[in-house]
Amino acid sequence: MLDAYVDRVPTAPGTGWTADDIPAADWILIGHSHFDHLFGAERIAANTGARVVGSYETVRVLADAGVPSRQLVPVAGGERVRLSPHVVASVYPSQHSCVWSQREFPGADAVCLGDLGLDHQEQQARLGELGAWLVTLGPEVLDHLRSSDQHARGDGGALVYVLETPAGRLLYQDTSGAWTPVLRELRPDVAILAAAGRGNLDGEPIQGSLAQFVGREAALLRPRRVVLSHHDDWLPGFTSGDLDVAPVRAEVGRVAPGAELVELGYATAAPVFAGLSPRRPTRAGSGP
């Protein structure tokens, strides 16, 4: 399947990078198994020898693509994976955004209501309707979706990671979903948070906006710095342009005034802990 994968829809904005441009990597942490998060990891692993941490579905897909088993570390949440003598990644279960609940991605300040209490079959039916609509966006979108179709296995179970480093604690999340009892115990210094689609709070779509969802996460995590991710125009016609960050910035400033919000551009280098002194370790933050 990955051999036929198209890197991106041709009309999507370029990033200036491809997976084959990555010159060196020791580890790759995969948050979930959808094509826009997983595919390309097999080439980075082949070119650099990096080991890949991800769900059992992530590992299955990469093994089928030829990544050697010695480079694959399957996790489900609750594991602590040592990445180096001084860095450990703790793995926690998470949620995927409620992609089934809308067609075009809502704007950052668009308030979305309803869609509560749907069972799995109802959500899957809605997802099928979304798929039928997506193919109307044009032949290049259709070709892209066909080449990356994972059928019923979907996201494989979303995960979040907290990296314990000498410089501080870094949380990495790649889709707008959260188990709130998990997040409130993590206390990272820096939180990389996805800002895309309709947020998923404890299995239900947020009754509010994406900006409010990111703000809710920031209020739970209480990081000193928030870095946004996954908020670009990666599937034109569905993602509806790059996200307007202003409502997110305003909401994070309102509910988590101690957090600095950072927005990175493509291929932008930024020391995530610059200017921050690491917090003292806490019992709740010591790992799963």
Side-chain angles (χ1 to χ4, degrees):
M1 177 172 64
L2 296 189
D3 291 339
Y5 173 60
V6 180
D7 282 296
R8 63 183 180 90
V9 175
T11 55
T15 65
W17 284 79
T18 70
D20 291 319
D21 293 327
I22 306 300
D26 296 316
W27 292 87
I28 305 169
L29 307 182
I30 304 293
H32 69 282
S33 306
H34 281 157
F35 69 89
D36 53 318
H37 296 261
L38 174 57
F39 295 173
E42 80 288 353
R43 299 201 296 278
I44 298 172
N47 294 339
T48 68
R51 300 186 71 185
V52 184
V53 183
S55 70
Y56 284 80
E57 173 64 4
T58 288
V59 165
R60 183 196 67 80
V61 172
L62 293 181
D64 286 351
V67 178
S69 60
R70 66 180 180 276
Q71 289 179 245
L72 298 172
V73 182
V75 293
E79 299 87 355
R80 286 171 52 84
V81 182
R82 183 162 296 280
L83 308 183
S84 78
H86 304 293
V87 178
V88 173
S90 297
V91 189
Y92 296 88
S94 189
Q95 293 275 298
H96 194 277
S97 67
C98 296
V99 68
W100 50 267
S101 68
Q102 78 280 319
R103 288 190 176 181
E104 292 181 52
F105 271 23
D109 57 353
V111 173
C112 300
L113 301 174
D115 303 309
L116 296 171
L118 275 67
D119 60 35
H120 176 72
Q121 290 84 349
E122 290 170 319
Q123 292 181 8
Q124 290 300 301
R126 293 276 293 276
L127 198 59
E129 294 171 3
L130 172 63
W133 174 76
L134 283 173
V135 302
T136 70
L137 297 181
E140 63 181 24
V141 171
L142 177 59
D143 289 345
H144 182 82
L145 294 175
R146 281 176 173 167
S147 67
S148 57
D149 187 6
Q150 292 166 270
H151 303 290
R153 291 188 174 94
D155 61 62
L159 302 167
V160 293
Y161 299 90
V162 176
L163 278 68
E164 302 276 1
T165 83
R169 291 167 56 82
L170 173 68
L171 179 140
Y172 167 59
Q173 172 210 67
D174 70 349
T175 184
S176 299
W179 287 115
T180 58
V182 172
L183 290 192
R184 68 167 52 98
E185 300 297 327
L186 299 184
R187 297 291 182 271
D189 296 294
V190 178
I192 299 175
L193 301 179
R198 188 171 178 188
N200 183 332
L201 286 173
D202 302 326
E204 293 283 9
I206 188 171
Q207 302 300 292
S209 69
L210 176 63
Q212 290 171 324
F213 175 80
V214 177
R216 176 74 179 273
E217 289 189 305
L220 287 166
L221 291 165
R222 288 187 264 172
R224 288 181 286 172
R225 181 170 292 154
V226 172
V227 180
L228 296 183
S229 72
H230 198 32
H231 56 301
D232 58 338
D233 192 18
W234 55 271
L235 188 60
F238 181 50
T239 45
S240 304
D242 291 346
L243 186 77
D244 179 6
V245 174
V248 180
R249 186 178 299 278
E251 182 66 13
V252 170
R254 185 182 73 84
V255 300
E260 171 196 10
L261 182 69
V262 177
E263 183 191 6
L264 302 180
Y266 288 129
T268 301
V272 293
F273 296 114
L276 301 179
S277 57
R279 289 171 170 159
R280 286 181 173 274
T282 63
R283 187 164 178 243
S286 61

